[in-house]
Amino acid sequence: MAGTNLKCRECATTYELEPRYVCEQCFGPLEVAYDHSRFVDDVGALRRRIQGGPQNIWRYGDFLPLDGPPGPALRSASRVGLPAGCTPLLRADRLAERVGLGEVWVKNDAHNPTHSFKDRVVAVASQRARELGFDTLACASTGNLANAVAAQAAALGLPSYVFIPSDLEEQKILATGVYGTNLVKVRGNYDDVNRLCTELSGEREGWAFVNVNMRPYYAEGSKTLSYEIAEQLGWATPDRVVAPIASGSLFTKIAKGFEEWLELGLIEGSVPTMNGAQAVGCSPVAQAFDAGADVCRPVKPDTIAKSLAIGNPADGPYALELARRTGGAIDAVDDDEIRAGIRLLAETTGIFTETAGGVTTATLAKLAARGDIGADEKVVIVITGDGLKTLDAVRDTFESYEIEPRLEAFEAAVEQGVHV
Ligand SMILES: [Zn+2]
């Protein structure tokens, strides 16, 4: 086991690596703690060990809370599940030029089995769930997690229950139900769904709610994003990361991944400046950042960025602390800016992202316009999901020609600029 125990983030009380997520002493959230001291003496060997690992997140098994990550020898889908990770990191010069920056990279996590970064966290949580003897996977989801849990359960041959707000995008509902999960639409927003699942997790023995009772293990999966970025940049950190904030878990774990590897001397550089991105219609963390507050006041979400629509973000205080500590910020962009962000990324990189990626790209543009980013900075934006999941967001953002099937019709239309 790479982890040593669970540790309270508030009072540092430790617990065994069991299905537990809240501190009994102070109700603070629990996080996995590690002892990496055995690696300190030979960083070169550790790099080679990682490079020799499988082309997915299990290459980082030494940094994940599992008794035994499924190795490359275990090919059966029912053993390894869906292999997440090892997604492309692309240098985006045309995007950089459009927003007036020097060096921008896009970490495209839409290249996961169900087209979002959630495959990483679900892979880790579901492997740990099996180690702990659970026989059913479940989750409270804003959409992407629903896709990932339903697909992972199908691959592993486990039953699953997926709870979603009933007003979710149709694409995300269809791309969940297809895997044969028990799909439960809850009349309420994500925070209502989450409350119900928290209650249920105490009632249903044998159910691993990946983001409730398995949350400490689940959250660790996000670190693999920063491990990959560092490895892809030649064992070095970028200067700045722009990432979306929903619960704040992804945002803070990206930094944790860099911090762990910097501490070991495995990578060069320092902890990047961390910029968080939210939608104006659900921006409790950005509002707290602006107000200089340490905690977030819950909001009722109203935004097209449904995958970020968490009104009461569990890791909000930690996201605030991280942004301030690293000299970053947390910004919010409105729905029109989100649509423009989707188009900007698509037109300059060929990457079609969902609304959350529009939030992130629009925030990059905003930071650049504000002069927050230095000309010589290496910036990575984290694109967390695929545009095919939120097609309605780009409806009516472009025009097309409709013509009779004749040469003159085409020429006339193009000359006269007749769009429909
Ligand atoms: Zn505690």
Side-chain angles (χ1 to χ4, degrees):
M1 166 60 81
T4 53
N5 46 39
L6 292 175
K7 189 174 174 185
C8 174
R9 289 170 80 169
E10 293 300 324
C11 75
T13 300
T14 58
Y15 300 88
E16 298 290 302
L17 290 162
E18 52 201 17
R20 177 192 290 278
Y21 62 105
V22 178
C23 177
E24 282 183 356
Q25 306 296 321
C26 74
F27 301 104
L30 303 181
E31 177 170 66
V32 180
Y34 298 84
D35 176 9
H36 293 135
S37 56
R38 69 185 187 283
F39 296 127
V40 171
D41 291 337
D42 198 349
V43 165
L46 179 55
R47 281 184 189 167
R48 285 191 296 278
R49 186 178 153 94
I50 292 168
Q51 285 168 325
Q55 288 295 313
N56 57 50
I57 60 168
W58 305 131
R59 70 204 275 108
Y60 308 118
D62 289 326
F63 301 90
L64 295 172
L66 301 172
D67 290 335
L74 301 170
R75 296 283 183 208
S76 160
S78 61
R79 293 293 301 275
V80 301
L82 288 175
C86 284
T87 60
L89 178 72
L90 301 164
R91 188 165 164 160
D93 288 334
R94 294 188 54 240
L95 173 60
E97 200 180 317
R98 276 276 287 274
V99 297
L101 293 174
E103 187 175 343
V104 175
W105 296 75
V106 177
K107 180 63 173 168
N108 186 6
D109 238 29
H111 272 252
N112 270 306
T114 67
H115 316 289
S116 89
F117 88 98
K118 292 290 187 186
D119 290 313
R120 297 175 184 272
V121 286
V122 170
V124 174
S126 54
Q127 289 294 335
R128 185 62 188 149
R130 288 207 313 189
E131 289 178 355
L132 291 168
F134 289 96
D135 56 23
T136 301
L137 297 183
C139 71
S141 174
T142 57
N144 285 321
L145 184 59
N147 297 172
V149 166
Q152 190 69 249
L156 294 169
L158 297 174
S160 62
Y161 288 80
V162 166
F163 297 81
I164 55 170
S166 55
D167 71 344
L168 211 57
E169 296 98 337
E170 192 187 14
Q171 290 94 357
K172 283 182 181 162
I173 296 175
L174 294 172
T176 301
V178 70
Y179 297 111
T181 184
N182 296 287
L183 184 57
V184 186
K185 297 180 189 173
V186 178
R187 290 185 205 111
N189 61 27
Y190 172 79
D191 300 289
D192 299 320
V193 176
N194 191 40
R195 239 184 335 267
L196 171 64
C197 287
T198 304
E199 267 178 63
L200 266 171
S201 76
E203 299 284 321
R204 290 285 186 275
E205 226 162 280
W207 285 27
F209 279 86
V210 297
N211 56 339
V212 183
N213 54 343
M214 299 301 295
R215 190 169 181 85
Y217 308 102
Y218 160 93
E220 290 293 291
S222 289
K223 294 188 310 185
T224 60
L225 250 168
S226 38
Y227 297 154
E228 279 177 29
I229 292 169
E231 203 186 339
Q232 287 165 317
L233 290 176
W235 304 100
T237 58
D239 298 310
R240 184 184 295 266
V241 172
V242 185
I245 293 181
S247 74
S249 175
L250 168 72
F251 186 70
T252 52
K253 292 294 176 176
I254 288 174
K256 188 185 182 200
F258 288 126
E259 282 164 351
E260 285 179 351
W261 277 17
L262 283 165
E263 204 171 300
L264 273 175
L266 193 59
I267 52 176
E268 305 286 322
S270 52
V271 180
T273 302
M274 295 294 298
N275 280 100
Q278 293 211 292
V280 167
C282 183
S283 52
V285 193
Q287 287 172 26
F289 186 87
D290 274 348
D294 295 331
V295 293
C296 303
R297 189 180 298 168
V299 301
K300 254 203 162 23
D302 179 17
T303 168
I304 59 167
K306 292 196 163 75
S307 59
L308 303 182
I310 297 182
N312 189 10
D315 290 289
Y318 304 108
L320 288 165
E321 186 275 328
L322 174 64
R324 290 183 179 128
R325 170 161 56 87
T326 60
I330 297 167
D331 281 273
V333 290
D334 66 29
D335 286 357
D336 285 340
E337 290 174 301
I338 295 168
R339 290 186 192 94
I342 294 173
R343 292 296 309 274
L344 174 62
L345 186 72
E347 289 173 15
T348 56
T349 67
I351 295 167
F352 179 24
T353 183
E354 66 153 12
T355 44
V359 171
T360 305
T361 308
T363 298
L364 174 79
K366 190 170 185 171
L367 294 169
R370 203 160 67 199
D372 279 14
I373 303 178
D376 57 349
E377 279 192 47
K378 186 179 291 201
V379 184
V380 173
I381 65 171
V382 179
I383 296 302
T384 46
D386 194 297
L388 293 175
K389 295 185 182 219
T390 58
L391 285 171
D392 283 341
V394 294
R395 203 180 298 284
D396 302 326
T397 66
F398 57 89
E399 291 181 318
S400 55
Y401 302 103
E402 187 171 323
I403 60 167
E404 295 304 320
R406 293 195 317 272
L407 189 57
E408 333 60 279
F410 168 71
E411 282 169 353
V414 172
E415 265 168 39
Q416 294 161 23
V418 181
H419 290 98
V420 292

